[in-house]
Amino acid sequence: MEDKKKRMSEWVSSLQAQLIDIFEGIEKEATLDQYEEDPKQFVHRSWTREGGGGGDMAILEGRVFEKAGVNVSTVFGEFSEEFRSQIPGAEENPQFWASGISVVIHPRNPHVPIIHMNTRMILTQKLWFGGGSDLTPILPLEKDTQDFHAALKNTCDAFDINYYETFKKWADEYFYLPHRQESRGVGGIFYDYLNSGDWEKDFEFTQAVGRTFANIYLDIVNRHLNKSWTEQDRKRQLKKRGRYVEFNLLYDRGTLFGLKTGGHVEAILMSLPPLVEWRG
Amino acid sequence: MEDKKKRMSEWVSSLQAQLIDIFEGIEKEATLDQYEEDPKQFVHRSWTREGGGGGDMAILEGRVFEKAGVNVSTVFGEFSEEFRSQIPGAEENPQFWASGISVVIHPRNPHVPIIHMNTRMILTQKLWFGGGSDLTPILPLEKDTQDFHAALKNTCDAFDINYYETFKKWADEYFYLPHRQESRGVGGIFYDYLNSGDWEKDFEFTQAVGRTFANIYLDIVNRHLNKSWTEQDRKRQLKKRGRYVEFNLLYDRGTLFGLKTGGHVEAILMSLPPLVEWRG
């Protein structure tokens, strides 16, 4: 088990480093005049968790990526009495270990979709993986949506022919704002409590989700990166970001659970957009 | 009872009209150059509730009041099974009637505090009043806080010598963000389930809270209205507004209850600030 924990936590850190390279590369190379400022770099803020473990939050507040957060954490300890009954395998023994990576990208250019990706491995008396990725375009293009889903399906199908359908449905149900009767975006995949009985395979799937997200998002970003936008596009973006905030604060399990269990507030709320409008 | 319902619903509408006059007056008369645009007026949007009743949402998106919402509603019908057990007097008979006014003001000038005021009368098999007002300065001044609390205390004391202490404490507990370990602002009063046994007195108290809020806020606005602000002041304001959003979406009972019981979304989320930052 120690070896598995080590491999997972090392992998999230290596993915973090790769993503930072990718995003900083794009940040530097974009040529559109509307990116007025100089390219920026990620700033790391590491944090420790009272009770065990900690994380490294890397945030880029840049010209292309108005706010990009790539947070990794490896935490351990005991669940409080209040939460034991809610966590598989924690009822009798509250000890847990968890390692994961969480990415939320808010591009400045309204032509470039918002994206979220997260994977985690959780160990109590049980062990499972969870994660997913979903895309939130401001100015949706059918081709982006199709290619994003096709990439996820392709990855899922390599592991289990039922994964994509199941995990896509889960995302459709999860990333939904009942009070607005709106989806957060165009969906993706969401999964939790994944334990096929073959740890190597599940870990490989987790890594494949990370790679797939990086590749398809890079592709989609490059399609739109140097398209100029109007003031009206920007207004639509700031309004759509409001929906993102509403989802994360009203419904997102990870956000609510993290805040209630004394998680690192800045890392949890890293997902909130840099600038948001509720008006008009 | 019909007479009481009529008097309450007529009063909230008359307070709405008075507040609109007051805010539009200030919007027009401000002289500071930083209010670049022309003065604006409130726009009314009335809505009806499936199941009974409706409301009138008045919103000003102006130069002095970047977003001011004054919403009145009178609704009736039946609570769904899910919520009956949570509402006093609704367990056996789910019928209800409720009338109230809700005000949230987000001034453009960071020297002028954000304010919230709400009063309501609710009738199930029981009858009660609820409401309160709290102040959220961006650049807090001791005198504003003192005067705001003194005005509320003065009003409370005229009705019951225990009201202020009880209702202030309730506000301190209510308007608190545990995850930030921060208060939303400098407090005020908050009360619910108020039924002294003397409806006339309770109704008079409700009206006095409305008047007191209007008078003291007008006073505080006028102190700061024509003070110029810096870019740094504005940044502090946009960041503080983020905390306001976090409070309303994570903790505010009225917001969460309203969204879950199929309330009018635009009216409920009228409280969200016009422009918000989570960065830096």
Side-chain angles (χ1 to χ4, degrees):
Chain A
M1 191 53 68
E2 289 310 310
D3 179 58
K4 288 173 183 165
K5 284 153 77 169
K6 186 161 176 281
R7 287 170 64 196
M8 180 65 186
S9 62
E10 285 178 357
W11 173 72
V12 299
S13 291
S14 81
L15 181 60
Q16 183 194 40
Q18 288 170 45
L19 293 175
I20 287 174
D21 277 353
I22 291 172
F23 292 127
E24 286 187 349
I26 299 170
E27 172 76 10
K28 209 182 298 176
E29 287 156 22
T31 55
L32 186 68
D33 283 346
Q34 278 180 303
Y35 301 124
E36 291 173 0
E37 298 166 36
D38 291 334
K40 302 290 191 308
Q41 294 190 304
F42 277 87
V43 174
H44 288 264
R45 284 159 72 184
S46 67
W47 50 275
T48 53
R49 180 180 167 279
E50 209 176 315
D56 179 46
M57 186 171 57
I59 292 200
L60 168 64
E61 295 191 343
R63 51 176 206 155
V64 172
F65 298 106
E66 197 174 336
K67 186 172 174 186
V70 183
N71 188 46
V72 297
S73 65
T74 299
V75 296
F76 49 87
E78 293 195 357
F79 282 115
S80 70
E81 293 233 12
E82 191 187 350
F83 291 103
R84 287 172 199 180
S85 61
Q86 296 177 34
I87 312 289
E91 300 85 350
E92 286 166 26
N93 184 335
Q95 291 208 314
F96 76 94
W97 179 96
S99 184
I101 180 166
S102 181
V103 183
V104 178
I105 311 293
H106 291 287
R108 188 179 302 275
N109 189 333
H111 292 291
V112 184
I114 305 166
I115 200 163
H116 150 261
M117 190 280 293
N118 162 253
T119 65
R120 57 194 172 272
M121 170 177 139
I122 298 183
L123 182 68
T124 59
Q125 298 299 296
K126 301 188 175 178
L127 181 156
W128 70 92
F129 290 89
S133 182
D134 75 303
L135 194 73
T136 306
I138 317 304
L139 308 163
L141 281 184
E142 192 54 35
K143 181 166 165 50
D144 292 343
T145 302
Q146 277 173 3
D147 292 353
F148 181 67
H149 277 280
L152 293 171
K153 183 175 189 306
N154 196 42
T155 296
C156 286
D157 286 354
F159 291 84
D160 186 313
I161 202 68
N162 295 312
Y163 276 2
Y164 175 72
E165 198 186 345
T166 310
F167 299 164
K168 177 194 184 298
K169 187 160 173 278
W170 204 334
D172 286 342
E173 287 164 6
Y174 187 79
F175 297 109
Y176 183 73
L177 292 80
H179 68 288
R180 296 286 189 183
Q181 299 180 286
E182 280 174 18
S183 294
R184 172 159 104 168
V186 296
I189 59 169
F190 182 95
Y191 59 98
D192 208 353
Y193 313 118
L194 180 71
N195 183 339
S196 68
D198 179 348
W199 187 87
E200 291 293 345
K201 181 185 143 187
D202 296 345
F203 181 48
E204 184 48 51
F205 174 65
T206 296
Q207 297 173 73
V209 169
R211 273 195 305 275
T212 303
F213 144 78
N215 291 335
I216 186 64
Y217 190 55
L218 182 58
D219 192 356
I220 292 173
V221 169
N222 281 326
R223 291 175 193 176
H224 306 298
L225 183 63
N226 291 313
K227 284 186 185 167
S228 64
W229 66 87
T230 66
E231 207 172 311
Q232 198 189 358
D233 297 335
R234 179 69 173 168
K235 261 197 96 63
R236 275 180 75 169
Q237 182 189 49
L238 299 189
K239 188 173 179 177
K240 186 77 174 172
R241 287 177 177 174
R243 302 294 203 265
Y244 216 83
V245 174
E246 290 173 26
F247 178 82
N248 285 12
L249 298 182
L250 288 169
Y251 306 112
D252 186 56
R253 283 198 327 201
T255 301
L256 301 178
F257 187 79
L259 292 178
K260 279 181 190 165
T261 53
H264 188 72
V265 175
E266 293 296 339
I268 296 165
L269 297 184
M270 181 195 78
S271 63
L272 298 179
L275 191 69
V276 184
E277 264 189 31
W278 279 278
R279 65 182 163 197
Chain B
M1 191 52 67
E2 288 310 309
D3 179 58
K4 289 172 181 163
K5 285 153 77 169
K6 186 162 176 282
R7 286 170 64 195
M8 179 66 185
S9 61
E10 285 179 357
W11 174 72
V12 300
S13 291
S14 82
L15 181 60
Q16 183 193 42
Q18 287 171 46
L19 293 174
I20 287 173
D21 277 353
I22 291 172
F23 292 127
E24 286 188 349
I26 300 170
E27 172 76 11
K28 209 183 296 178
E29 286 156 23
T31 55
L32 187 68
D33 282 348
Q34 278 181 301
Y35 301 125
E36 291 173 359
E37 298 166 34
D38 290 334
K40 303 290 192 307
Q41 293 190 303
F42 277 87
V43 174
H44 287 265
R45 285 159 70 184
S46 65
W47 50 275
T48 53
R49 180 180 167 279
E50 209 176 316
D56 179 44
M57 186 170 59
I59 292 200
L60 168 64
E61 296 191 342
R63 51 177 206 155
V64 172
F65 298 108
E66 197 174 337
K67 186 172 173 186
V70 183
N71 188 46
V72 298
S73 65
T74 299
V75 296
F76 49 86
E78 293 196 358
F79 282 115
S80 70
E81 293 235 11
E82 190 186 351
F83 291 102
R84 286 174 200 180
S85 61
Q86 297 177 34
I87 312 291
E91 300 86 349
E92 285 167 26
N93 183 336
Q95 291 209 312
F96 76 95
W97 180 95
S99 183
I101 180 166
S102 181
V103 183
V104 178
I105 311 293
H106 291 286
R108 187 178 303 274
N109 190 333
H111 292 290
V112 184
I114 304 166
I115 200 163
H116 150 260
M117 189 281 293
N118 162 253
T119 64
R120 56 194 172 271
M121 171 178 137
I122 299 183
L123 182 68
T124 59
Q125 297 301 295
K126 300 187 176 181
L127 181 156
W128 70 92
F129 290 89
S133 182
D134 76 304
L135 194 72
T136 306
I138 317 305
L139 308 162
L141 280 184
E142 192 53 34
K143 182 167 164 49
D144 292 344
T145 303
Q146 277 172 5
D147 292 353
F148 181 66
H149 277 280
L152 292 172
K153 182 175 189 308
N154 196 41
T155 296
C156 286
D157 287 354
F159 290 86
D160 186 314
I161 202 68
N162 294 313
Y163 276 1
Y164 175 71
E165 198 187 345
T166 311
F167 299 163
K168 177 193 183 300
K169 187 160 173 277
W170 204 336
D172 286 342
E173 287 164 7
Y174 186 79
F175 296 109
Y176 184 73
L177 292 80
H179 68 288
R180 296 284 188 185
Q181 298 180 285
E182 280 175 18
S183 294
R184 172 159 105 168
V186 296
I189 59 169
F190 183 94
Y191 59 98
D192 208 354
Y193 313 118
L194 179 71
N195 183 339
S196 68
D198 179 347
W199 186 87
E200 291 293 342
K201 183 186 143 189
D202 297 345
F203 181 48
E204 183 49 50
F205 175 65
T206 296
Q207 296 174 73
V209 169
R211 272 195 306 275
T212 303
F213 144 78
N215 291 336
I216 186 63
Y217 190 56
L218 183 58
D219 192 356
I220 292 173
V221 168
N222 281 326
R223 290 175 193 176
H224 306 300
L225 182 64
N226 291 313
K227 284 186 185 166
S228 63
W229 66 87
T230 66
E231 208 173 310
Q232 198 188 357
D233 297 335
R234 178 70 172 169
K235 260 196 97 63
R236 276 181 74 169
Q237 182 190 47
L238 299 190
K239 189 173 179 178
K240 186 76 175 171
R241 287 177 178 174
R243 302 294 203 265
Y244 216 85
V245 174
E246 290 173 26
F247 178 82
N248 284 12
L249 298 183
L250 288 169
Y251 305 113
D252 186 57
R253 282 194 334 196
T255 301
L256 301 178
F257 186 79
L259 293 178
K260 280 180 189 164
T261 52
H264 189 72
V265 175
E266 293 296 339
I268 295 165
L269 297 182
M270 181 195 77
S271 63
L272 299 178
L275 190 69
V276 184
E277 264 190 31
W278 279 278
R279 67 181 163 196

